[in-house]
Amino acid sequence: MRGSEYIDWSQYRHLYEEISVPARSVLLEEGKVSRYAYFIIEGAVRVWFNNKGKDTTFQFFFEGEGVSSIESFRTGQPSMCTIETITAARLYKISKENLELVIDSAPGLRPKMEEIMFQRLLRYASMFISQIRDTPQERYEALIRDQPHILQRVPLQYIASYLGITPVSLSRIRNKLHR
């Protein structure tokens, strides 16, 4: 876990479980209450929501990152999103109660987690503004510039969804830029 440099996670091994799941495994379904947070050991995960029958991807997570439907995990409200593996994945799975035990007993972890949450909030705000302000081509160019690892690891249909365009439109943009 980011922040793991601050604590010895092995002393909390009894509080989390390592799981392996195949590609396209749903870890949390939209509308269900999130009971677990996940830390990605290996693999790729996407977070998406149903937008009038079409899935809209709004975040990708990879090794060394934690993922949950934080609003549902914290409040017990139904999740606004689905969390699904893109590839086969190995994950650590921890319940809210056990994560709170770790946070309360590990000095320095709470501020680190707050910083991670703040950085994620900034990323979401930037994405929101980009969806309004930027053209699809500008969003794709920003993805190439700022997060090229996504292009190397994520299928194009999910990238198109993330950019808010169809796979056909993404293909046109890619052809135009790579001539």
Side-chain angles (χ1 to χ4, degrees), residues 101-116:
L101 285 171
V102 174
I103 291 170
D104 289 343
S105 65
L109 184 58
R110 186 176 302 278
K112 181 65 176 170
M113 291 189 73
E114 288 171 356
E115 180 60 25
I116 291 168

Side-chain angles (χ1 to χ4, degrees), residues 18-155:
E18 182 175 330
I19 62 171
S20 294
V21 296
R24 298 194 52 109
S25 292
V26 173
L27 303 174
L28 175 67
E29 189 178 329
E30 182 178 344
K32 305 281 177 146
V33 174
S34 176
R35 303 272 183 233
Y36 299 98
Y38 301 89
F39 175 75
I40 304 167
I41 304 165
E42 291 177 2
V45 173
R46 74 183 182 116
V47 180
W48 61 275
F49 64 94
N50 184 319
N51 183 9
K52 299 176 184 163
K54 290 180 15 181
D55 69 322
T56 300
T57 300
F58 67 92
Q59 193 66 58
F60 299 107
F61 294 90
F62 304 97
E63 291 85 0
E65 295 182 305
V67 61
S68 74
S69 173
I70 195 64
E71 78 288 346
S72 178
F73 191 71
R74 292 273 314 229
T75 67
Q77 299 291 319
S79 176
M80 296 184 283
C81 60
T82 294
I83 301 173
E84 178 182 33
T85 60
I86 297 171
T87 63
R90 281 191 325 121
L91 311 150
Y92 290 139
K93 173 181 165 182
I94 190 167
S95 69
K96 178 180 179 181
E97 297 77 17
N98 287 346
L99 182 58
E100 287 174 359
L101 285 171
V102 174
I103 291 170
D104 289 343
S105 65
L109 184 58
R110 186 176 302 278
K112 181 65 176 170
M113 291 189 73
E114 288 171 356
E115 180 60 25
I116 291 168
M117 297 300 290
F118 179 72
Q119 292 302 320
R120 191 159 299 157
L121 179 62
L122 287 177
R123 190 173 355 166
Y124 289 152
S126 176
M127 287 173 46
F128 176 74
I129 290 169
S130 178
Q131 286 290 337
I132 295 169
R133 179 190 60 207
D134 300 335
T135 66
Q137 181 171 325
E138 289 169 332
R139 291 194 298 272
Y140 180 70
E141 290 170 340
L143 187 65
I144 292 170
R145 181 184 64 244
D146 300 336
Q147 298 175 303
H149 64 283
I150 289 176
L151 297 168
Q152 297 163 358
R153 302 209 37 209
V154 174

